[in-house]
Structure formats: C-alpha cells, structure tokens
Amino acid sequence: MSNIVILGAQWGDEGKGKLVDLLTDRFDYVIRYQGGHNAGHTILIGDRKFVLRLVPSGILHPGKTAVIGNGLVIDPIALLEEIEQLMSAGIDVMQHLRISNRAHVLLPSHRVVEKISENGSRSIGTTLRGIGPCYEDKAGRRGLRIADLLDREFFPDAVRYLTAEHLTRARAFGVADTVDVEDVILRYSAAAERIRPLVCDTAVLLADAMRAGKRLLFEGAQGTGLDIDHGTYPYLTSSSSCVGGASTGTGVPPTKLHCIIGISKAYTTRVGGGPFPTEALDSYGDLIRNRGREFGSVTGRPRRCGWFDAPLLRYSAAVNGYETMVVTKLDVLDELEQIQVCVAYRIDGQEVHEMPATVRELARVEPVYRTLEGWRCSTEGISEWDQLPKAARTYVEFLEEQTGIEAGCISTGPERNQTIQRAGSRFMRATASM
C-alpha cells in the first residue's frame, strides 16, 4: 500500500483535516483534489488553530509537499490570504506548496452570478463564494485556468469578457451588483506574480513522484452526500467529492489509488438546505451541536445535527469502495443516556434498501431507529480501544455491523493524540509507515 484517499462519508465536516494531519508524517505528498475556499479543514496543534480552505493540511508538516490539484477552483486573493497567514505562523509555504496550472480561477463576478439562484425561491443554501458558477464555467468551456492567469497578455481581456457576460446574466435576473473589472485585473495580476513560482503541471509532478517511490495522500473536501453525481441533487456541491474526483482532480490514474478511507462522525450533520432524514429537531440536536461545536469553520453557520445514518454510510461505501472508516467525535455523545441509530429507511410504509435518487423521495423517508444505551462518562482523549467504556465499544461495533465497514480508527477529541488506532485493522495495515 502506498497511495491513500481520505474522503467524507456523510455530508462533509466529518473531520478529514485531523486525519490527514495525523497521517501526513507517513507520506511524502498531500494532495487536495476538488472544491474551493468554501470548505474548511480545522487543525488543532497544541494551542494553535489552523483553518485551511485551499491549502492541503500537509503543509503543516516540515518537509512534505502540499499540492493543489487541477480539480479545484481557486480565488487567488483568498489563496494569498491563506498563504500569508501560514507564513506568519512560520510555515515554509513557498518551498513546499505546488499549484496545478489547470485549476480554474474564481472571479468576483462568479459570486454575483450565484446570487441569481440563491436570492430566489430555489436557494439551496450555498456559501455564496462563487464556487458553483465557477464550475459551471469550467463545464461550459468558457472558464479561465491558472495558466491563463499567468498569461500577462491574454488574461486582462479574458477577464473583461467573462465579467461582462456574468454581469449581463445577473442584470437579466434582477441582480444589480457591479464589479470593478479593472481593479480585478490589477489585483489578480499582482496575485499571479506572487504564486507564479508555485505553479506547475502537478499531474507530471505526481507521476514523477510515484516513479521515485514516493507515497501520496489525497484529501477531499465536503462529503459523499454532496457529490455532484452521487449526492442529494441539487442540494450538493459542484464537484466530485467521491473517490473518482481523486483521479480526475489530480491526473493520477485510478490504478494508483491503493486504499480509500471513509470518515464519518459518530452522529450526522449537514449544512445548508436539503433533506436530512435523521435530523434531531429537539434538545438532542442542540446538545450535539453545542458539545460538538458544530459551526462552520469558514462561514460560522450552525450545522444541522442528528443521529447516525447507516443507510447513508452503506451507500457511501458502495460508491467509494472503502473497507475501513474513521469514526470521529465519539466523545460528543458522552452525556447521552440513550443514542439512536437509523438502520433502515421506510417510504410510504415500504422499507427501501437503496438510497432514493430524488430529494422528494428522501424528504418522505421515515427513519427506522434502533436505540442503544449511552455510557454517561468521558471518553475524551482516550487512545486505546480497551479503555473505552463497554457501552461505547458496543456502540462502535453496532455501527460496524450496520454499515458492514470496519471502524479502524476512532477520534475522541480534536488533538492529534486523541485518537484510537485499532491494532490489526485494515486502517492500520494501509497507513503503516514503510
């Protein structure tokens, strides 16, 4: 085993950043393969907190190369702000970060275009960062890439043309926002010169690394439930957050991905609109939100909280092919007397064994719950499986039974060392140092 993909098994915010940070020392390259600066990975190292939006978590480890793949959409100004914050913390970003010349450029006018849908009756609850419209331009073959950003002669006129098109569309739908395109050209051109030394063909970079025997760790953003193909359409992101995105978003062939690890919370959360069958709209939901500090690391939005959804995990495992998972935030459930787990879906009185394809069907789902006893004592910081309370071990084993997926790693707090790595698990075999 050499190259591993870390991806979200639910609707995002599962704690991927902590796991990537935990494993990075065992790898040479850490690669982000999709998304934009609307998704944040929060890393706690001692009393230092890092919120990474575009730069892969591996940048926090000396000597590792962090790669932003071609599958991302990049706001150069947001990227520079993140780079400067890291550099002010003593991180050698310029030496260890590489950016794909094929990643797409996000413009201020993309945020204007996003208001067309988000200001209307069909809002899906996006972050209004312009991510979706930028991916629309990519798919529509009219977008601009980092290579275009670096072309001093081509870029200014290309920005004027695309911005004019965006504002024309916005005005047609009653959005009157304006953009100072000449200011955009000045700021983006200055940003281009700052990041120019970091830009390369990262597909070639990674191919050369693999030929040299280097190990690659891929980190996704969001989660399977938000994947553009397999998620709860249309309440999802605009990129491939499933394992397929790791290949298309980096240029690394699927045959070079040796292990996929899914990450799931010990409960379920969701941000924005869309169906959420196990949402707890009561004091339990509030307790989970407050104990789990379930607020967006980038936006600060409160997350919707609910019980563990086994059918969602079974579907996630099927489309991603992972055989081991990481269960995070087990300690958040410490105070509960009883814990519910959704084991099946029922629609119109009929039990269904597949994930409904439409949000209309999913909105009619009646969760079939099993109730387990809580453990009513602290698990925070426990790092050995046998030290967990018996009821907590029973809970994790029940999740394994219902999903068919091994819980090879359990997180009991935000710090690196607050983690249980189960001896003999597929997780341990896949992530072992070579």
Side-chain angles (χ1 to χ4, degrees):
M1 297 293 184
S2 55
N3 302 330
I4 291 179
V5 182
I6 305 294
L7 53 81
Q10 299 166 304
W11 280 296
D13 308 308
E14 300 94 347
K16 298 178 288 295
K18 176 189 171 177
L19 182 64
V20 172
D21 181 64
L22 177 71
L23 297 180
T24 292
D25 281 343
R26 309 173 196 182
F27 294 83
D28 302 291
Y29 288 74
V30 180
I31 308 103
R32 169 89 177 269
Y33 61 83
Q34 48 80 219
H37 68 299
N38 58 334
H41 288 171
T42 301
I43 310 295
L44 294 179
I45 304 175
D47 59 354
R48 303 172 77 190
K49 177 179 178 180
F50 298 89
V51 179
L52 302 175
R53 299 177 294 277
L54 290 166
V55 179
S57 309
I59 198 69
L60 300 176
H61 292 250
K64 308 299 179 180
T65 301
V67 177
I68 296 176
N70 58 273
L72 275 79
V73 295
I74 299 174
D75 179 335
I77 306 303
L79 175 60
L80 275 181
E81 289 175 354
E82 192 170 336
I83 288 173
E84 288 167 359
Q85 290 170 0
L86 288 166
M87 291 177 65
S88 68
I91 308 298
D92 190 357
V93 178
M94 301 305 289
Q95 181 67 28
H96 297 293
L97 177 65
R98 295 295 176 264
I99 304 166
S100 172
N101 54 11
R102 288 172 169 79
H104 273 248
V105 177
L106 192 153
L107 300 172
S109 53
H110 283 122
R111 291 189 281 273
V112 177
V113 171
E114 192 160 23
K115 290 184 178 181
I116 295 173
S117 57
E118 288 303 301
N119 287 355
S121 60
R122 302 193 67 174
S123 168
I124 63 172
T126 75
T127 59
L128 288 172
R129 299 292 175 99
I131 310 298
C134 190
Y135 275 112
E136 288 177 30
D137 281 348
K138 175 181 178 176
R141 297 167 294 180
R142 57 181 172 267
L144 299 174
R145 304 196 291 184
I146 294 294
D148 300 318
L149 174 68
L150 300 185
D151 189 327
R152 298 182 182 96
E153 293 186 4
F154 173 81
F155 184 70
D157 283 343
V159 172
R160 292 184 185 104
Y161 178 85
L162 191 54
T163 299
E165 180 180 296
H166 289 162
L167 296 183
T168 298
R169 287 170 55 195
R171 285 194 292 271
F173 284 90
V175 177
D177 295 36
T178 62
V179 172
D180 186 340
V181 68
E182 298 306 318
D183 178 67
V184 172
I185 292 170
L186 285 174
R187 292 187 299 118
Y188 275 50
S189 296
E193 298 310 313
R194 293 281 307 279
I195 68 172
R196 188 181 292 274
L198 307 178
V199 176
C200 66
D201 187 331
T202 53
V204 173
L205 174 74
L206 297 175
D208 289 344
M210 288 186 289
R211 277 193 291 270
K214 304 298 183 182
R215 302 186 75 189
L216 312 184
L217 181 64
F218 298 81
E219 70 171 75
Q222 288 94 26
T224 299
L226 298 179
D227 182 90
I228 186 65
D229 288 296
H230 301 290
T232 49
Y233 193 91
Y235 294 91
L236 34 72
T237 192
S238 299
S239 57
S240 297
S241 52
C242 284
V243 67
S247 286
T248 59
T250 63
V252 174
T255 53
K256 300 296 185 181
L257 307 179
H258 303 120
C259 180
I260 301 101
I261 298 175
I263 305 188
S264 166
K265 286 175 180 169
Y267 47 95
T268 309
T269 65
R270 179 164 194 161
V271 173
F276 185 175
T278 64
E279 186 170 12
L281 298 171
D282 53 20
S283 59
Y284 286 107
D286 293 335
L287 185 148
I288 291 171
R289 183 179 302 105
N290 292 325
R291 280 188 54 81
R293 300 180 181 89
E294 294 295 353
F295 301 89
S297 56
V298 172
T299 64
R301 291 190 297 177
R303 296 175 184 139
R304 301 158 64 191
C305 298
W307 304 111
F308 189 90
D309 187 334
L312 173 63
L313 263 290
R314 290 194 289 266
Y315 179 76
S316 173
V319 299
N320 288 299
Y322 54 80
E323 297 179 330
T324 186
M325 66 178 174
V326 178
V327 176
T328 63
K329 294 196 169 184
L330 182 69
D331 55 299
V332 171
L333 304 179
D334 284 350
E335 293 184 1
L336 298 181
E337 292 185 17
Q338 293 185 322
I339 305 170
Q340 295 197 89
V341 176
C342 173
V343 298
Y345 290 162
R346 188 177 291 123
I347 300 178
D348 299 333
Q350 299 293 317
E351 194 165 298
V352 296
H353 300 283
E354 297 178 355
M355 197 73 176
T358 71
V359 294
R360 297 177 298 281
E361 291 176 287
L362 198 54
R364 302 203 325 271
V365 158
E366 177 189 348
V368 178
Y369 284 117
R370 287 277 298 276
T371 302
L372 283 79
E373 294 300 316
W375 40 95
R376 300 302 305 278
C377 61
S378 176
T379 62
E380 184 174 1
I382 290 177
S383 58
E384 297 293 335
W385 171 253
D386 292 340
Q387 294 175 1
L388 283 175
K390 184 177 186 300
R393 296 198 304 271
T394 298
Y395 180 72
V396 173
E397 289 167 347
F398 186 74
L399 302 188
E400 292 179 311
E401 174 189 322
Q402 290 299 315
T403 62
I405 305 299
E406 163 203 273
C409 180
I410 299 106
S411 174
T412 58
E415 299 283 354
R416 287 176 182 170
N417 61 350
Q418 295 176 317
T419 308
I420 298 169
Q421 300 182 58
R422 294 172 72 182
S425 64
R426 296 184 186 91
F427 175 87
M428 289 294 287
R429 294 198 298 272
T431 62
S433 300
M434 298 180 69

